[in-house]
Amino acid sequence: MCGIISYIGDKEIVPLLIKGLKILEYRGYDSAGLCINNGQELKVIKRSGRISELEKSDDLENLKGDVGIAHTRWATHGVPNEINAHPHLDCKKEIAIVHNGIIENYVGLREILKKKGHSFISNTDSEVIAHLIEDFYQGDLTEATINALRCVDGTFGLAVMKKNENKIVAARRGSPLIVGVGDNEMFVCSDAAGILEHTKKVIYLDDNEVATITKEDYNIRDVYGNGIDKKVHEIKWDIGQIEKKGFKHFMLKEIFEQPEALENTLRGRIKDENIKLSLNLDTRSIKRIIFIACGTSWHSALIGKYIIEKINRIPVEVDYASEFRYRNPIVQEYDLVIAISQSGETADTLAAINEAKSKKAKTLGIVNVVGSTISREVDSGIYLHSGPEIGVASTKAFTGQVLAILLFSLYIEQEKGNKIDHSLIEEISRLPEKARMIFNDSEKIRKIADDLKESKAFLFLGRGINFPVALEGALKLKEISYIHAEGYPTAEMKHGPIALIENGFPVIFVLNKDNLTKKCLSNIEEIKSRGGKIIIVTNDRELEEVSDEIIYVPFTKEELSPILNVIPLQLLSYYIADLKGIDPDKPRNLAKSVTVE
Ligand code: M6R
């Protein structure tokens, strides 16, 4: 949520910041702005709307300087207009800040500062930080920032600059921030992607750390003033992975990337029918597993419950991370708490992990972004290696998560000394190829999307392991096409949702050929007889007659079926959004990683 990029060095600063912002735009796109120290003054330019609006500003021309901070906003406090856009300045217009997070005590702080004579321009919580720093400033920007941060409650990823000081001060609590170490240049950024073109050397700031960067050097302390030695990490992926590569949108590219992404999740993890996961965890002592996650990751956790209870016979609970953290959950030492997160930065999931740790449970992360906060907080982890996911709607991370859970489940069996189902291992190795086969039907799916795009609502139905797939199909559709959709267990439909059915109402069934097919057929008939339009995603070749539209997926084992079944649903949502003229990469009101509560 919100993207920050800051630079100190000799490169042309405006194009560098704008390009970085564009890469970070998936984090929020309500407004954007930048501040550059041009030698005489701090020059702030901001616009409401997308970065393309900021880019149009004539004021950017001839703007030069060697220190700058920039921000793309996902609004929390204050409407997304130009005044509330970041950067924010102090009264003297000598200190500029960009902030990601929420200052929870901003109302009280603002009152105190107003009484001291500070005047405020915006409705944001963030502006208090600029005035607080101004209030504490006695010749050292780092000291003033540290003192200011000791007064605030809440979360921040923060970059601060001051006229006449050739440095940037950056700080983090709860909102991701990295320092990029270049050659005679330094960066501060919310995400390595924003600076990858310039450097692959990064330092991940941890909570309550404050970095002071100059062109040549960096210094990191905690908010109590203690110096900290930090490791410089080398980013292993490159800029090519965050380009659209000829696809119209990142989402479409990421859907089509899934066969390779699945191969990457598998790479090196199955050898001679042995599961290789280097986990710092004694899985034999696990008595219960609790999954915590949000959104799409929560749906893969639900699938995880089916997989683990079936294969391992270990009881599994699945919690929304946001609920788990506040309900004083019963967690015991022999529980394993698994956090699933694409970004590894979701605030609720992170807080839930901390709750589990405080109750002495062991924690495991199933995370895509290498080096992300959750991956550093957990006792042990499995990276997805799905590659950067830029589209706001999660696609390849979802299928990677399900596969990673399955590998973990098989690993538990292996560690117990139990025999692993040989045919399941074989089927896993065929999975990427089977996923690829689904794309042969993408034109057919686009036509179905065209036919359905004006529908006002959809119902997605699935049973067993496919119930979470139905939920995921509904989430995908509503978040990028703004069409209301609900996911239900197929048989549950007659307990209420059936009232929605009228002529032409689209109902999407996700259905495996198994012992429940006949039961689902009755539910299909119940919808059909009320005029509903039946769209079936299935590996069963005998359902043509009962459907209005049918999308076949290759047959696979039950545990793997969600991975194949979800792909047509992702495509369907994508095409509906695109045909409606909506940018599926940046749907309204959303941001890729939700780093606020
Ligand atoms: O990065 P995370 O997996 O922790 O994110 C969780 C949700 O915010 C995320 O899955 C969200 O629901 C997506 N927009 C779904 O497509």
Side-chain angles (χ1 to χ4, degrees):
M1 275 196 165
C2 302
I4 289 175
I5 177 162
S6 308
Y7 177 71
I8 181 161
D10 297 328
K11 287 191 178 135
E12 243 197 283
I13 196 160
V14 172
L16 183 150
L17 291 177
I18 294 282
K19 191 159 182 203
L21 280 183
K22 282 189 172 167
I23 294 171
L24 299 176
E25 195 170 25
Y26 72 91
R27 303 180 67 87
Y29 29 85
D30 289 333
S31 62
L34 52 75
C35 173
I36 286 167
N37 191 347
N38 69 5
Q40 286 99 47
E41 58 172 343
L42 295 187
K43 191 90 188 129
V44 174
I45 300 161
K46 39 195 199 176
R47 293 288 179 272
S48 66
R50 301 253 170 123
I51 291 150
S52 50
E53 294 304 313
L54 177 69
E55 213 179 1
K56 284 181 202 152
S57 164
D58 295 339
D59 300 336
L60 289 177
E61 260 176 55
N62 307 320
L63 186 52
K64 302 256 180 285
D66 47 16
V67 190
I69 59 179
H71 187 265
T72 179
R73 178 172 187 240
W74 184 84
T76 59
H77 297 58
V79 296
N81 61 17
E82 199 167 305
I83 289 174
N84 291 331
H86 297 219
H88 292 289
L89 294 171
D90 67 328
C91 299
K92 295 193 210 82
K93 303 195 182 343
E94 291 186 349
I95 295 168
I97 66 110
V98 287
H99 168 231
N100 177 8
I102 293 176
I103 304 302
E104 289 168 357
N105 58 340
Y106 82 102
V107 176
L109 289 172
R110 195 169 54 190
E111 286 319 302
I112 295 168
L113 288 162
K114 272 186 181 168
K115 281 190 189 132
K116 289 178 113 182
H118 291 264
S119 47
F120 286 78
I121 293 169
S122 76
N123 305 114
T124 65
D125 54 330
S126 308
E127 195 185 348
V128 293
I129 305 174
H131 293 277
L132 263 181
I133 297 174
E134 177 182 26
D135 215 62
F136 279 112
Y137 188 77
Q138 287 182 340
D140 183 335
L141 187 61
T142 310
E143 280 300 324
T145 305
I146 286 177
N147 285 327
L149 293 179
R150 285 190 190 142
C151 301
V152 305
D153 295 335
T155 54
F156 47 81
L158 180 74
V160 188
M161 61 189 282
K162 184 169 188 313
K163 187 184 153 190
N164 303 331
E165 287 208 36
N166 246 0
K167 61 170 74 146
I168 295 167
V169 179
R172 167 202 162 126
R173 185 190 295 154
S175 291
L177 210 58
I178 57 167
V179 173
V181 181
D183 193 8
N184 217 28
E185 58 181 2
M186 298 278 172
F187 305 80
V188 174
C189 202
S190 306
D191 179 338
I195 56 171
L196 207 56
E197 189 184 334
H198 308 283
T199 182
K200 287 191 163 189
K201 288 190 191 140
V202 300
I203 297 166
Y204 297 105
L205 291 184
D206 285 308
D207 278 354
N208 296 313
E209 289 181 352
V210 181
T212 306
I213 62 164
T214 59
K215 226 183 341 183
E216 306 83 14
D217 207 1
Y218 60 85
N219 176 282
I220 298 172
R221 297 156 65 175
D222 64 21
V223 279
Y224 312 103
N226 306 309
I228 302 173
D229 255 350
K230 298 285 289 186
K231 190 173 167 206
V232 178
H233 294 259
E234 183 90 19
I235 301 288
K236 297 277 187 275
W237 45 280
D238 58 59
I239 196 83
Q241 286 177 269
I242 50 171
E243 285 165 359
K244 285 190 201 148
K245 297 204 172 136
F247 285 92
K248 187 169 178 191
H249 295 103
F250 280 110
M251 182 179 174
L252 189 62
K253 174 186 163 233
E254 286 157 9
I255 293 172
F256 274 81
E257 265 173 1
Q258 286 178 106
E260 295 87 67
L262 292 166
E263 277 160 6
N264 289 338
T265 305
L266 286 176
R267 183 153 297 123
R269 285 174 166 164
I270 303 182
K271 275 203 188 113
D272 305 327
E273 304 221 338
N274 279 321
I275 309 296
K276 306 269 179 203
L277 295 174
S278 30
L279 299 180
N280 166 29
L281 196 67
D282 176 10
T283 52
R284 286 164 306 181
S285 59
I286 303 168
K287 299 264 184 304
R288 183 174 68 145
I289 288 175
I290 303 172
F291 280 108
I292 45 176
C294 303
T296 287
S297 299
W298 185 77
H299 296 153
S300 48
L302 289 177
I303 294 169
K305 178 177 167 73
Y306 281 92
I307 292 176
I308 289 175
E309 290 191 343
K310 179 178 175 185
I311 296 179
N312 311 106
R313 303 306 293 160
I314 295 174
V316 177
E317 286 181 23
V318 181
D319 240 305
Y320 281 115
S322 55
E323 291 298 313
F324 180 84
R325 61 184 292 194
Y326 286 121
R327 70 170 170 80
N328 192 14
I330 299 169
V331 181
Q332 287 163 357
E333 277 178 45
Y334 53 73
D335 288 334
L336 174 68
V337 175
I338 305 182
I340 307 185
S341 175
Q342 187 287 129
S343 62
E345 301 293 351
T346 301
D348 288 321
T349 311
L350 192 53
I353 276 287
N354 290 332
E355 175 72 22
K357 280 168 76 173
S358 75
K359 295 198 148 98
K360 308 269 184 297
K362 284 267 168 298
T363 55
L364 175 91
I366 296 183
V367 171
N368 192 31
V369 177
V370 176
S372 56
T373 311
I374 292 174
S375 73
R376 287 181 287 130
E377 284 294 319
V378 286
D379 298 314
S380 200
I382 304 173
Y383 279 124
L384 303 180
H385 298 305
S386 309
E389 192 181 70
I390 307 291
V392 162
S394 189
T395 52
K396 62 178 178 173
F398 174 76
T399 46
Q401 287 163 351
V402 176
L403 185 56
I405 294 167
L406 179 58
L407 290 176
F408 179 61
S409 166
L410 296 176
Y411 176 83
I412 296 176
E413 282 311 278
Q414 174 180 291
E415 293 305 286
K416 273 196 212 151
N418 293 344
K419 217 170 154 23
I420 299 180
D421 179 359
H422 162 80
S423 62
L424 190 51
I425 299 272
E426 270 197 349
E427 196 54 25
I428 290 175
S429 65
R430 285 191 213 111
L431 187 71
E433 200 39 49
K434 290 192 173 177
R436 206 165 274 125
M437 286 159 72
I438 296 170
F439 301 130
N440 295 336
D441 270 342
S442 51
E443 187 47 33
K444 174 178 178 183
I445 297 170
R446 206 191 65 79
K447 285 199 180 108
I448 298 173
D450 200 19
D451 184 37
L452 297 176
K453 67 178 190 290
E454 300 307 335
S455 307
K456 294 281 171 278
F458 280 68
L459 200 54
F460 287 75
L461 301 176
R463 283 197 91 144
I465 202 162
N466 280 314
F467 163 50
V469 178
L471 292 176
E472 175 60 7
L475 174 62
K476 236 37 350 147
L477 185 70
K478 64 188 144 198
E479 73 176 327
I480 60 167
S481 74
Y482 317 147
I483 298 174
H484 182 68
E486 287 197 60
Y488 263 90
T490 308
E492 188 64 18
M493 159 281 292
K494 26 184 212 301
H495 299 283
I498 196 165
L500 294 169
I501 307 302
E502 56 186 2
N503 238 359
F505 187 104
V507 182
I508 304 201
F509 283 85
V510 186
L511 208 162
N512 287 348
K513 186 179 172 77
D514 58 22
N515 57 342
L516 289 176
T517 315
K518 283 211 176 87
K519 306 272 176 209
C520 294
L521 273 173
S522 308
N523 300 134
I524 289 173
E525 293 301 342
E526 285 152 15
I527 301 268
K528 242 175 127 73
S529 58
R530 289 162 176 85
K533 183 162 187 151
I534 309 290
I535 302 104
I536 306 180
V537 173
T538 186
N539 55 23
D540 188 335
R541 303 272 147 178
E542 287 158 26
L543 300 176
E544 193 100 34
E545 265 180 31
V546 293
S547 65
D548 293 298
E549 298 287 358
I550 191 155
I551 305 163
Y552 290 118
V553 294
F555 191 82
T556 188
K557 294 253 179 197
E558 185 194 30
E559 294 85 340
L560 293 163
S561 62
I563 296 176
L564 300 183
N565 290 343
V566 81
I567 294 174
L569 304 185
Q570 296 168 342
L571 280 171
L572 187 72
S573 301
Y574 169 79
Y575 287 127
I576 290 179
D578 189 39
L579 288 161
K580 285 172 82 81
I582 297 168
D583 176 355
D585 285 343
K586 297 189 186 75
R588 70 184 178 206
N589 307 338
L590 280 167
K592 181 68 180 163
S593 65
V594 184
T595 55
V596 294
E597 270 196 66

